[in-house]
Amino acid sequence: LTLETTDTAAAAANIQITADGTFEVDGSTITLPKRFLDLHPLKDVLLPTVLEDDMEDIPQGGRLLAHNPLPPAHAWFLKKNRWKEAVQAYLASVSFVDACVGRLIKSLDDGPMADHTWVVLLSDHGFFLGEKERWAKQALWERATRVPLIIVPPKSLPESSVRNSTCSAPVELLSLYPTLLDFCQLKHPPHLEGRSLMPLVQSPQRPWPYPAITTFGKGNHSIRSKRWRYTRYADQSEELYDHIADPHEWHNLAPQSEVLEQVRPTLAPWLP
Protein backbone atom coordinates (compact mmCIF):
# COMPACT_ATOMS: atom_id res chain seq x y z
CA LEU A 1 0.00 0.00 0.00
CA THR A 2 1.60 3.24 -1.14
CA LEU A 3 0.24 6.24 0.72
CA GLU A 4 0.43 8.91 -1.04
CA THR A 5 24.44 30.73 -4.70
CA THR A 6 27.29 32.63 -5.23
CA ASP A 7 30.64 30.97 -5.90
CA THR A 8 31.64 31.74 -2.29
CA ALA A 9 28.55 30.02 -0.95
CA ALA A 10 29.15 27.09 -3.28
CA ALA A 11 32.64 26.68 -1.93
CA ALA A 12 31.32 26.83 1.62
CA ALA A 13 28.78 24.14 0.83
CA ASN A 14 31.57 22.02 -0.68
CA ILE A 15 29.57 20.67 -3.64
CA GLN A 16 31.58 18.08 -5.55
CA ILE A 17 30.34 15.60 -8.12
CA THR A 18 32.79 13.17 -9.69
CA ALA A 19 32.57 10.53 -12.39
CA ASP A 20 33.26 7.66 -9.99
CA GLY A 21 29.85 7.90 -8.37
CA THR A 22 30.90 9.99 -5.37
CA PHE A 23 29.34 13.32 -4.56
CA GLU A 24 29.71 15.56 -1.56
CA VAL A 25 27.23 18.11 -0.25
CA ASP A 26 27.95 20.31 2.74
CA GLY A 27 30.77 18.13 4.01
CA SER A 28 28.76 14.88 3.81
CA THR A 29 30.25 12.48 1.29
CA ILE A 30 27.80 10.11 -0.39
CA THR A 31 29.39 7.23 -2.26
CA LEU A 32 27.64 4.77 -4.53
CA PRO A 33 28.76 2.26 -7.17
CA LYS A 34 29.38 3.91 -10.54
CA ARG A 35 26.94 1.58 -12.27
CA PHE A 36 24.06 3.48 -10.66
CA LEU A 37 25.35 6.73 -12.10
CA ASP A 38 25.55 4.98 -15.48
CA LEU A 39 21.84 4.17 -15.25
CA HIS A 40 21.17 7.87 -15.75
CA PRO A 41 23.27 9.17 -18.67
CA LEU A 42 23.65 12.91 -18.45
CA LYS A 43 22.15 13.39 -21.92
CA ASP A 44 18.93 11.68 -20.77
CA VAL A 45 18.51 13.53 -17.48
CA LEU A 46 15.32 15.59 -17.42
CA LEU A 47 15.39 18.73 -15.32
CA PRO A 48 12.46 19.76 -13.13
CA THR A 49 10.06 22.22 -14.68
CA VAL A 50 10.65 25.60 -13.08
CA LEU A 51 8.53 28.73 -13.34
CA GLU A 52 10.88 31.70 -13.66
CA ASP A 53 8.80 34.08 -11.54
CA ASP A 54 7.62 31.38 -9.12
CA MET A 55 8.74 33.26 -6.01
CA GLU A 56 7.02 36.53 -6.85
CA ASP A 57 3.75 35.62 -5.10
CA ILE A 58 5.47 34.14 -2.02
CA PRO A 59 5.07 36.26 1.13
CA GLN A 60 8.08 37.40 3.10
CA GLY A 61 7.48 34.75 5.76
CA GLY A 62 7.80 32.01 3.16
CA ARG A 63 10.90 33.52 1.58
CA LEU A 64 12.66 33.82 4.92
CA LEU A 65 11.78 30.30 5.99
CA ALA A 66 12.95 28.79 2.71
CA HIS A 67 16.28 30.63 2.73
CA ASN A 68 18.97 28.00 3.22
CA PRO A 69 22.57 29.29 3.13
CA LEU A 70 24.15 25.82 3.09
CA PRO A 71 23.54 24.60 -0.48
CA PRO A 72 24.49 26.83 -3.42
CA ALA A 73 21.82 29.13 -4.78
CA HIS A 74 20.02 27.97 -7.91
CA ALA A 75 21.83 30.71 -9.84
CA TRP A 76 25.14 28.95 -9.07
CA PHE A 77 23.96 25.68 -10.64
CA LEU A 78 22.90 27.59 -13.75
CA LYS A 79 26.08 29.67 -13.99
CA LYS A 80 28.38 26.66 -13.53
CA ASN A 81 26.21 24.38 -15.71
CA ARG A 82 25.95 21.83 -12.89
CA TRP A 83 22.17 21.44 -12.66
CA LYS A 84 22.02 18.26 -14.74
CA GLU A 85 24.97 16.72 -12.89
CA ALA A 86 23.34 17.38 -9.52
CA VAL A 87 20.04 15.85 -10.66
CA GLN A 88 21.93 12.90 -12.14
CA ALA A 89 23.69 12.30 -8.82
CA TYR A 90 20.40 12.48 -6.96
CA LEU A 91 18.76 10.00 -9.35
CA ALA A 92 21.73 7.67 -8.99
CA SER A 93 21.46 7.75 -5.21
CA VAL A 94 17.75 6.91 -5.44
CA SER A 95 18.51 3.97 -7.73
CA PHE A 96 21.18 2.78 -5.29
CA VAL A 97 18.73 2.89 -2.37
CA ASP A 98 16.13 1.09 -4.49
CA ALA A 99 18.61 -1.72 -5.21
CA CYS A 100 19.52 -2.00 -1.52
CA VAL A 101 15.85 -2.21 -0.55
CA GLY A 102 15.43 -4.90 -3.20
CA ARG A 103 18.22 -6.96 -1.64
CA LEU A 104 16.64 -6.59 1.79
CA ILE A 105 13.19 -7.66 0.58
CA LYS A 106 14.62 -10.62 -1.33
CA SER A 107 16.35 -11.81 1.83
CA LEU A 108 13.07 -11.48 3.71
CA ASP A 109 11.14 -13.36 1.03
CA ASP A 110 13.74 -16.15 0.99
CA GLY A 111 13.62 -16.53 4.78
CA PRO A 112 11.15 -18.06 7.21
CA MET A 113 9.53 -14.78 8.34
CA ALA A 114 8.14 -13.49 5.05
CA ASP A 115 4.57 -14.48 5.85
CA HIS A 116 4.66 -12.88 9.30
CA THR A 117 6.47 -9.55 8.78
CA TRP A 118 5.07 -6.08 8.21
CA VAL A 119 7.23 -3.95 5.89
CA VAL A 120 7.11 -0.15 6.28
CA LEU A 121 9.26 1.98 3.98
CA LEU A 122 9.47 5.76 4.37
CA SER A 123 11.68 8.82 4.05
CA ASP A 124 12.05 11.72 6.47
CA HIS A 125 11.57 14.63 4.04
CA GLY A 126 11.45 15.61 0.40
CA PHE A 127 14.11 17.48 -1.58
CA PHE A 128 14.24 20.43 -3.94
CA LEU A 129 16.28 20.02 -7.13
CA GLY A 130 15.79 23.53 -8.44
CA GLU A 131 12.02 23.82 -8.09
CA LYS A 132 11.11 27.28 -6.83
CA GLU A 133 14.80 28.01 -7.44
CA ARG A 134 15.59 26.13 -4.24
CA TRP A 135 17.81 23.19 -3.23
CA ALA A 136 17.64 20.79 -0.28
CA LYS A 137 14.62 20.64 2.04
CA GLN A 138 14.03 23.80 4.07
CA ALA A 139 10.45 24.83 3.25
CA LEU A 140 6.77 24.01 3.77
CA TRP A 141 5.97 23.40 0.10
CA GLU A 142 4.98 20.03 -1.34
CA ARG A 143 8.41 19.12 -2.67
CA ALA A 144 9.94 19.32 0.82
CA THR A 145 7.08 17.86 2.86
CA ARG A 146 5.92 14.91 0.75
CA VAL A 147 7.65 11.57 1.30
CA PRO A 148 7.26 7.98 0.09
CA LEU A 149 5.31 5.79 2.50
CA ILE A 150 4.81 2.13 1.65
CA ILE A 151 3.16 -0.39 3.97
CA VAL A 152 3.15 -4.07 3.05
CA PRO A 153 1.08 -6.43 5.26
CA PRO A 154 2.24 -10.00 5.89
CA LYS A 155 0.89 -12.52 3.42
CA SER A 156 -0.67 -14.47 6.28
CA LEU A 157 -3.07 -11.65 7.25
CA PRO A 158 -6.37 -10.61 5.60
CA GLU A 159 -4.87 -7.15 4.99
CA SER A 160 -2.55 -8.70 2.41
CA SER A 161 -5.40 -8.40 -0.10
CA VAL A 162 -4.61 -4.67 -0.45
CA ARG A 163 -1.05 -5.24 -1.60
CA ASN A 164 -0.23 -3.14 -4.68
CA SER A 165 -3.08 -0.75 -3.84
CA THR A 166 -2.61 3.01 -3.79
CA CYS A 167 -4.13 5.35 -1.22
CA SER A 168 -4.33 9.06 -2.02
CA ALA A 169 -5.31 10.23 1.47
CA PRO A 170 -2.90 12.73 3.09
CA VAL A 171 -1.29 11.16 6.17
CA GLU A 172 1.44 12.02 8.66
CA LEU A 173 4.58 10.19 9.78
CA LEU A 174 3.33 11.06 13.26
CA SER A 175 0.79 8.28 12.67
CA LEU A 176 3.37 5.53 12.24
CA TYR A 177 3.81 4.75 15.93
CA PRO A 178 0.10 4.20 16.66
CA THR A 179 -0.14 2.23 13.41
CA LEU A 180 2.69 -0.06 14.50
CA LEU A 181 0.98 -0.52 17.87
CA ASP A 182 -2.11 -1.72 16.00
CA PHE A 183 0.03 -4.06 13.92
CA CYS A 184 1.27 -5.61 17.16
CA GLN A 185 -2.18 -5.48 18.83
CA LEU A 186 -0.83 -3.28 21.65
CA LYS A 187 -2.69 -0.58 23.55
CA HIS A 188 -2.21 3.09 22.67
CA PRO A 189 -0.72 5.29 25.41
CA PRO A 190 -3.08 8.18 26.13
CA HIS A 191 -0.54 10.86 25.20
CA LEU A 192 -0.27 9.88 21.51
CA GLU A 193 -1.09 12.60 18.98
CA GLY A 194 -0.82 10.42 15.87
CA ARG A 195 -3.81 8.68 14.34
CA SER A 196 -3.48 5.01 13.38
CA LEU A 197 -3.46 4.32 9.66
CA MET A 198 -4.83 0.81 10.11
CA PRO A 199 -8.25 1.79 8.67
CA LEU A 200 -6.51 2.89 5.45
CA VAL A 201 -4.34 -0.22 5.40
CA GLN A 202 -7.47 -2.35 5.57
CA SER A 203 -9.45 -0.21 3.11
CA PRO A 204 -7.27 2.21 1.10
CA GLN A 205 -10.19 3.99 -0.58
CA ARG A 206 -12.23 4.65 2.55
CA PRO A 207 -13.07 8.29 3.42
CA TRP A 208 -10.32 10.00 5.41
CA PRO A 209 -11.36 13.45 6.70
CA TYR A 210 -8.04 14.31 8.32
CA PRO A 211 -5.35 16.55 6.77
CA ALA A 212 -1.60 16.18 7.16
CA ILE A 213 0.04 18.89 9.27
CA THR A 214 3.67 19.99 8.90
CA THR A 215 5.45 22.41 11.22
CA PHE A 216 8.85 23.94 10.51
CA GLY A 217 10.12 26.43 13.04
CA LYS A 218 7.99 28.18 15.63
CA GLY A 219 4.68 29.41 14.29
CA ASN A 220 5.09 28.09 10.74
CA HIS A 221 2.50 25.45 9.82
CA SER A 222 1.15 23.90 6.63
CA ILE A 223 -2.13 21.99 6.34
CA ARG A 224 -2.44 19.55 3.43
CA SER A 225 -5.87 18.13 2.57
CA LYS A 226 -6.53 15.95 -0.43
CA ARG A 227 -7.04 19.03 -2.62
CA TRP A 228 -5.58 22.05 -0.82
CA ARG A 229 -2.37 23.18 0.85
CA TYR A 230 -2.89 26.04 3.28
CA THR A 231 0.18 27.54 4.97
CA ARG A 232 0.38 30.20 7.66
CA TYR A 233 3.74 31.61 8.71
CA ALA A 234 4.78 33.08 12.04
CA ASP A 235 4.25 36.60 10.66
CA GLN A 236 0.62 35.61 9.83
CA SER A 237 1.22 35.70 6.07
CA GLU A 238 -0.49 32.93 4.11
CA GLU A 239 -0.27 30.70 1.07
CA LEU A 240 -2.97 28.58 -0.56
CA TYR A 241 -2.58 26.10 -3.42
CA ASP A 242 -5.16 24.05 -5.31
CA HIS A 243 -3.46 20.74 -6.05
CA ILE A 244 -6.04 19.72 -8.60
CA ALA A 245 -5.36 22.72 -10.81
CA ASP A 246 -1.82 23.50 -9.65
CA PRO A 247 0.19 20.41 -8.57
CA HIS A 248 3.47 22.36 -8.85
CA GLU A 249 2.26 25.02 -6.38
CA TRP A 250 3.06 27.76 -8.87
CA HIS A 251 0.09 30.02 -8.10
CA ASN A 252 -0.47 31.21 -4.55
CA LEU A 253 -4.21 31.80 -4.24
CA ALA A 254 -4.04 33.50 -0.84
CA PRO A 255 -4.04 37.02 -2.37
CA GLN A 256 -7.39 36.11 -4.01
CA SER A 257 -9.53 36.85 -0.99
CA GLU A 258 -12.68 35.18 -2.29
CA VAL A 259 -10.91 31.81 -2.68
CA LEU A 260 -9.05 32.14 0.62
CA GLU A 261 -12.22 33.03 2.52
CA GLN A 262 -13.93 29.97 1.09
CA VAL A 263 -11.17 27.48 1.95
CA ARG A 264 -9.61 28.91 5.12
CA PRO A 265 -12.52 27.99 7.46
CA THR A 266 -12.12 24.29 6.61
CA LEU A 267 -8.34 24.15 7.09
CA ALA A 268 -7.34 26.86 9.59
CA PRO A 269 -8.99 25.04 12.55
CA TRP A 270 -6.37 22.32 12.14
CA LEU A 271 -3.51 24.74 12.85
CA PRO A 272 -1.62 23.85 16.04
Side-chain angles (χ1 to χ4, degrees):
L1 170 66
T2 305
L3 296 165
E4 297 240 337
T5 189
T6 64
D7 293 352
T8 302
N14 200 13
I15 300 290
Q16 298 181 25
I17 306 170
T18 62
D20 65 355
T22 298
F23 60 102
E24 184 170 306
V25 181
D26 189 30
S28 300
T29 301
I30 304 171
T31 303
L32 52 117
K34 183 178 179 298
R35 66 180 183 275
F36 293 103
L37 203 65
D38 294 339
L39 291 175
H40 306 278
L42 202 59
K43 64 180 179 63
D44 297 333
V45 171
L46 299 178
L47 296 177
T49 304
V50 175
L51 192 66
E52 288 188 6
D53 60 350
D54 195 8
M55 295 296 291
E56 290 189 4
D57 60 359
I58 303 300
Q60 186 68 7
R63 293 170 184 257
L64 291 175
L65 189 69
H67 176 66
N68 187 348
L70 293 180
H74 187 61
W76 179 88
F77 286 93
L78 298 178
K79 179 180 178 181
K80 297 296 184 178
N81 197 28
R82 306 299 295 274
W83 193 3
K84 269 200 169 186
E85 291 182 34
V87 174
Q88 179 195 37
Y90 187 86
L91 294 173
S93 68
V94 172
S95 295
F96 183 36
V97 170
D98 186 60
C100 291
V101 171
R103 293 180 62 186
L104 179 64
I105 297 302
K106 185 179 186 305
S107 297
L108 176 63
D109 286 342
D110 292 344
M113 299 302 295
D115 293 342
H116 309 284
T117 301
W118 287 86
V119 176
V120 181
L121 176 68
L122 64 143
S123 175
D124 56 345
H125 56 77
F127 202 88
F128 285 94
L129 293 170
E131 301 92 339
K132 290 191 179 295
E133 301 182 353
R134 291 297 182 270
W135 287 79
K137 61 185 180 180
Q138 186 169 316
L140 284 173
W141 298 306
E142 186 85 357
R143 183 61 66 183
T145 59
R146 185 174 181 177
V147 302
L149 177 57
I150 301 174
I151 298 175
V152 184
K155 296 177 182 178
S156 60
L157 295 183
E159 288 83 3
S160 65
S161 62
V162 303
R163 285 186 171 207
N164 301 317
S165 299
T166 299
C167 175
S168 60
V171 298
E172 304 171 324
L173 298 183
L174 190 66
S175 294
L176 284 180
Y177 182 58
T179 304
L180 293 174
L181 290 178
D182 280 352
F183 291 169
C184 301
Q185 299 181 1
L186 298 174
K187 291 183 179 180
H188 291 207
H191 62 271
L192 290 187
E193 296 184 24
R195 185 175 287 105
S196 175
L197 304 179
M198 182 60 89
L200 291 175
V201 173
Q202 297 170 332
S203 180
Q205 303 309 317
R206 67 172 293 155
W208 188 255
Y210 312 106
I213 305 169
T214 305
T215 295
F216 179 40
K218 185 177 181 180
N220 304 298
H221 312 288
S222 191
I223 312 297
R224 178 66 156 91
S225 68
K226 197 167 185 178
R227 177 175 180 178
W228 302 95
R229 175 177 295 282
Y230 170 68
T231 301
R232 184 183 295 174
Y233 296 102
D235 64 359
Q236 301 303 301
S237 60
E238 299 168 298
E239 294 178 31
L240 178 67
Y241 300 99
D242 181 352
H243 270 262
I244 292 180
D246 181 23
H248 296 289
E249 298 183 339
W250 283 343
H251 306 292
N252 178 17
L253 300 176
Q256 302 179 26
S257 58
E258 68 281 2
V259 179
L260 182 61
E261 293 304 320
Q262 177 185 359
V263 178
R264 183 199 279 143
T266 65
L267 297 180
W270 293 97
L271 289 168

